[in-house]
């Protein structure tokens, strides 16, 4: 993986996310260059400097977008608003829970993303799904060429521990599915994005609880083929997705981009400083995500986060993918997930290596080839065609 900050994996990971999710290399360099020294202090110290640098980059784009709007150049403005939203979102992602400006930064990133969708005339619609006394927010990207009255297969894309629907919609998945005739719903499920920050909905181990509600909502839509609903989990979605498919029989297939077979074991390893963390202030972050009052409470909740004894329930096609050099989740867990899919009519295992690229966690280092393979596999299962 290209590490802008040679001694700091976590900061470099966020930088790589920006570069592979619509960021501009010149802008990213301008933001990161001045904080090279701060990065050497470690993951947690210096995150305020990171915040100020990336917010500054977003602010400059907002000013340019406003100048575009004043001249009536809405498409140009929409493009800049989109990158500003990305940089704001990454600045927010890197801060500790409780950082005073964090919520305001997140809300502003949502506003900027909405401006980008509107002025950029993007194939991306914000939707809200009823969920208990609250709702789940999602971004719907429709299959290309879908006409009124037509139904298309759809992929439900589940976040990981610290990703958001906006981040994933701006990844390669934001266009690869649509070009293959698949719609996609990027969702902020409990524990992520809006569900966590604005609704106070924490992550749960029994992911079928919220996944089934999403399927209920999809089945009511006239533009969704009810027999062709797939699921894809990214990063910690590599746990969420298989669990959901195991207990929700209306999914037609499933796939994971990063196999999170035994997340409880990964937490024990991280206590011993084995493997890399995805975000700074990691232990405070996971306690926030799971609504835990302290470390003991978190580890009690994490104890259920594994797929042993679950995967034999899956009776639809399933794809397991993993980066060969994943420094967050060991490769062995991809083999464990694959081996336990004993009742799948079709199962495949793709390991992304130096030849294919995408060797790091969820292929964040080089997502294009891996993303194409995953999109091709899902299109074959849901449409029966190759593109």
């Amino acid at each position: 993986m290209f590490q802008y900050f040679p001694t700091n994996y976590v900061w470099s990971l966020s930088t790589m996310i920006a570069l592979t999710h619509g960021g501009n290399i010149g802008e990213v360099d301008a933001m990161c260059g001045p904080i090279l020294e701060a990065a050497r202090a470690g993951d947690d110290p210096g995150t305020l400097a990171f915040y100020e640098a990336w917010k500054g980059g977003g602010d400059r784009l907002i000013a340019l977008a406003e100048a575009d709007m004043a001249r009536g150049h809405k498409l140009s403005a929409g493009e800049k608003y989109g990158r500003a939203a990305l940089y704001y979102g990454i600045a927010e992602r890197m801060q500790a829970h409780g950082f005073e400006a964090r919520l305001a930064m997140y809300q502003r990133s949502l506003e900027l993303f909405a401006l980008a969708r509107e002025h950029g005339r993007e194939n991306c619609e914000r939707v809200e799904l009823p969920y208990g006394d609250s709702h789940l927010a999602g971004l719907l990207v429709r299959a290309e060429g879908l006409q009124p009255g037509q139904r298309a297969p759809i992929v439900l894309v589940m976040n990981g521990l610290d990703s958001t629907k906006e981040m994933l919609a701006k990844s390669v998945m934001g266009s690869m599915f649509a070009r293959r005739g698949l719609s996609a719903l990027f969702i902020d499920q409990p524990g992520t994005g809006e569900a966590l920050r604005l609704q106070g909905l924490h992550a749960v181990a029994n992911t079928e609880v919220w996944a089934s509600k999403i399927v209920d909502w999809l089945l009511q839509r006239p533009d969704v083929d009810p027999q062709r609903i797939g699921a894809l989990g990214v990063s910690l979605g590599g746990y969420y997705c298989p669990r959901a498919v195991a207990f929700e029989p209306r999914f037609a297939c499933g796939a994971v981009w990063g196999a999170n077979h035994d997340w409880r074991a990964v937490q024990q390893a991280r206590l011993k400083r084995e493997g890399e963390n995805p975000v700074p202030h990691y232990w405070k972050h996971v306690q926030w995500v799971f609504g835990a009052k302290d470390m003991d409470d978190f580890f009690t909740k994490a104890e259920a986060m594994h797929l042993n004894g679950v995967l034999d329930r899956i009776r639809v096609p399933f794809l397991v993918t993993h980066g060969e050099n994943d420094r967050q989740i060991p490769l062995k867990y991809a083999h464990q997930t694959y081996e336990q899919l004993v009742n799948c009519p079709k199962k495949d295992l793709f390991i992304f290596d130096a030849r294919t690229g995408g060797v790091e966690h969820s292929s964040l280092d080089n997502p294009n080839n891996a993303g194409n393979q995953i999109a091709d596999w899902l299109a074959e299962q849901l449409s029966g065609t190759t593109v």
Side-chain angles (χ1 to χ4, degrees):
M1 182 177 84
F2 167 64
Q3 289 203 188
Y4 192 98
F5 304 99
T7 63
N8 195 320
Y9 171 88
V10 175
W11 287 33
S12 293
L13 182 68
S14 275
T15 304
M16 183 57 67
I17 290 171
L19 292 173
T20 55
H21 290 65
N24 176 282
I25 191 169
E27 293 165 352
V28 169
D29 182 52
M31 293 184 293
C32 289
I35 57 174
L36 273 167
E37 187 61 35
R40 294 190 178 97
D43 300 349
D44 297 354
T47 50
L48 178 59
F50 190 101
Y51 171 88
E52 291 172 343
W54 285 67
K55 180 180 183 300
D59 290 343
R60 289 189 288 274
L61 281 168
I62 292 168
L64 292 171
E66 289 172 348
D68 285 337
M69 290 295 293
R71 293 190 290 269
H73 299 160
K74 293 184 177 181
L75 279 173
S76 295
E79 188 177 283
K80 295 180 180 69
Y81 281 133
R83 293 202 307 282
L86 173 67
Y87 300 158
Y88 268 39
I90 288 178
E92 184 268 347
R93 175 183 177 274
M94 290 283 284
Q95 303 310 303
H97 176 52
F99 176 64
E100 185 176 358
R102 184 167 187 173
L103 181 59
M105 173 63 87
Y106 177 73
Q107 291 174 315
R108 181 58 173 150
S109 73
L110 293 181
E111 293 169 359
L112 291 167
F113 193 86
L115 289 172
R117 288 189 295 107
E118 176 187 355
H119 298 307
R121 299 197 290 274
E122 297 179 6
N123 171 22
C124 185
E125 175 191 355
R126 177 188 166 85
V127 296
E128 293 184 359
L129 299 63
Y131 184 74
D133 296 329
S134 185
H135 68 269
L136 300 179
L139 295 170
L140 179 64
V141 177
R142 291 181 173 81
E144 287 186 2
L146 188 65
Q147 300 299 315
Q150 285 186 322
R151 294 179 180 268
I154 192 166
V155 179
L156 170 62
V157 183
M158 304 175 186
N159 290 330
L161 176 70
D162 52 272
S163 55
T164 65
K165 62 186 184 303
E166 289 78 21
M167 181 188 296
L168 296 189
K170 283 297 183 180
S171 73
V172 295
M173 292 176 283
S175 60
M176 285 182 173
F177 295 143
R179 293 179 66 190
R180 288 164 172 79
L182 309 178
S183 296
L185 176 62
F186 299 89
I187 195 76
D188 279 343
Q189 77 265 10
T192 69
E194 289 188 46
L196 176 64
R197 292 162 176 80
L198 303 184
Q199 307 297 330
L201 297 173
H202 298 288
V204 294
N206 54 337
T207 59
E208 67 275 10
V209 171
W210 49 260
S212 292
K213 296 296 184 183
I214 298 170
V215 174
D216 289 343
W217 182 83
L218 288 172
L219 292 178
Q220 297 173 18
R221 293 189 61 88
D223 54 354
V224 170
D225 185 331
Q227 303 301 315
R228 295 189 290 170
I229 299 174
L232 170 63
V234 180
S235 189
L236 187 51
Y239 166 82
Y240 294 142
C241 174
R243 168 82 195 203
V245 174
F247 287 92
E248 173 45 76
R250 293 175 293 180
F251 284 116
C253 65
V256 296
W257 199 342
N260 239 307
H261 186 86
D262 194 341
W263 198 67
R264 61 177 178 175
V266 171
Q267 304 320 295
Q268 295 293 340
R270 285 178 178 168
L271 268 182
K272 302 172 187 175
R273 305 183 71 84
E274 296 174 2
E276 298 284 0
N277 293 337
V279 291
H281 315 286
Y282 178 76
W283 296 112
K284 290 296 184 183
H285 183 83
V286 293
Q287 290 175 54
W288 176 39
V289 167
F290 284 85
K293 62 180 181 292
D294 54 31
M295 284 284 281
D296 288 342
D297 189 29
F298 164 68
F299 274 99
T300 297
K301 294 176 184 292
E303 186 62 26
M305 298 285 290
H306 66 90
L307 295 170
N308 295 318
V310 169
L311 298 179
D312 61 335
R313 299 175 61 100
I314 296 180
R315 300 179 184 276
V316 295
F318 207 94
L319 170 66
V320 181
T321 77
H322 210 84
E324 187 176 57
N325 191 44
D326 190 325
R327 285 180 270 176
Q328 293 185 43
I329 308 298
L331 176 59
K332 66 181 180 181
Y333 291 123
H335 293 287
Q336 289 182 18
T337 293
Y338 180 77
E339 289 163 3
Q340 291 182 24
L341 292 167
V342 294
N343 290 316
C344 284
K346 174 180 174 59
K347 64 176 183 176
D348 288 297
L349 175 64
F350 297 165
I351 304 300
F352 303 122
D353 57 18
R355 181 182 65 85
T356 60
V359 301
E360 293 283 350
H361 182 66
S362 296
S363 302
L364 285 169
D365 58 310
N366 183 1
N368 291 73
N369 293 346
N372 272 305
Q373 280 192 264
I374 293 169
D376 286 341
W377 189 94
L378 285 166
E380 288 171 2
Q381 311 315 309
L382 294 171
S383 299
T385 58
T386 55
V387 182

